[in-house]
Amino acid sequence: MSEIEIRAVRFDAPVAQHLIHAALADLGARYGGTGDDTPVDAAEFEPPDGAFLVAYLAGEPVGCGGWRSHGADTAELKRMYTAPAARGRGVARAVLAAVERSAREQGRKRVVLECGDKQPEAIAMYGSAGYERIPNFGFYKDAEGCVSFGRTL
């Protein structure tokens, strides 16, 4: 198995946007519509208030994830995605660990995230990574099927 390499990139970088569009298409196929209408500004993912990371296998971008500030000491996980061909190879776990490390390095003490109930693989991964259900928040807090999770770093 190839080693996973994680690189910080700008949210609006072409490689990031390619993966984000794939993530939104995946969500659109699961939920309909655009996949996610949460307002997101690329500037929110600039250090020290956020970061965006891309995972590479054999030099190819195969996954991504980022965080943005959600209050003074909390990071919100956004745009986690692994390309179908790379799933089951530890990419998402590597990205999640790198996102958590980045947030911790910028003084965040907690990570929160929104997910949907039609993403059982993501829900299972978050649970196995120590995330617990929290009250829904954010753009989809009142949406049917929204599930939110949090974890202390």
Side-chain angles (χ1 to χ4, degrees):
M1 179 165 63
S2 298
E3 185 176 326
I4 299 166
E5 180 185 355
I6 308 286
R7 299 181 203 159
V9 302
R10 289 181 51 91
F11 184 87
D12 55 5
V15 66
Q17 287 299 303
H18 174 76
L19 289 163
I20 290 165
H21 283 97
L24 293 175
D26 181 77
L27 291 172
R30 293 174 194 245
Y31 300 102
T34 64
D36 186 352
D37 293 322
T38 304
V40 174
D41 182 338
E44 296 174 311
F45 296 88
E46 292 294 320
D49 297 320
F52 198 78
L53 307 171
V54 171
Y56 294 81
L57 273 176
E60 293 297 316
V62 296
C64 64
W67 69 272
R68 63 184 182 178
S69 291
H70 186 82
D73 66 351
T74 301
E76 180 186 9
L77 180 69
K78 293 298 295 176
R79 301 298 186 249
M80 278 287 292
Y81 175 72
T82 302
R87 291 180 184 164
R89 299 176 67 184
V91 172
R93 287 186 185 280
V95 171
L96 181 62
V99 166
E100 290 174 343
R101 193 168 38 256
S102 170
R104 191 179 314 106
E105 289 170 354
Q106 296 300 332
R108 300 317 185 275
K109 297 179 179 8
R110 182 166 177 75
V111 175
V112 297
L113 64 98
E114 288 181 302
C115 190
D117 63 359
K118 294 180 182 175
Q119 296 166 266
E121 67 283 10
I123 292 169
M125 183 194 68
Y126 295 133
S128 70
Y131 285 77
E132 298 177 342
R133 285 290 308 269
I134 61 172
N136 287 345
F137 69 94
F139 190 79
Y140 288 104
K141 73 178 179 181
D142 296 322
E144 184 178 331
C146 179
V147 288
S148 296
F149 295 91
R151 172 169 135 47
T152 300
L153 296 175

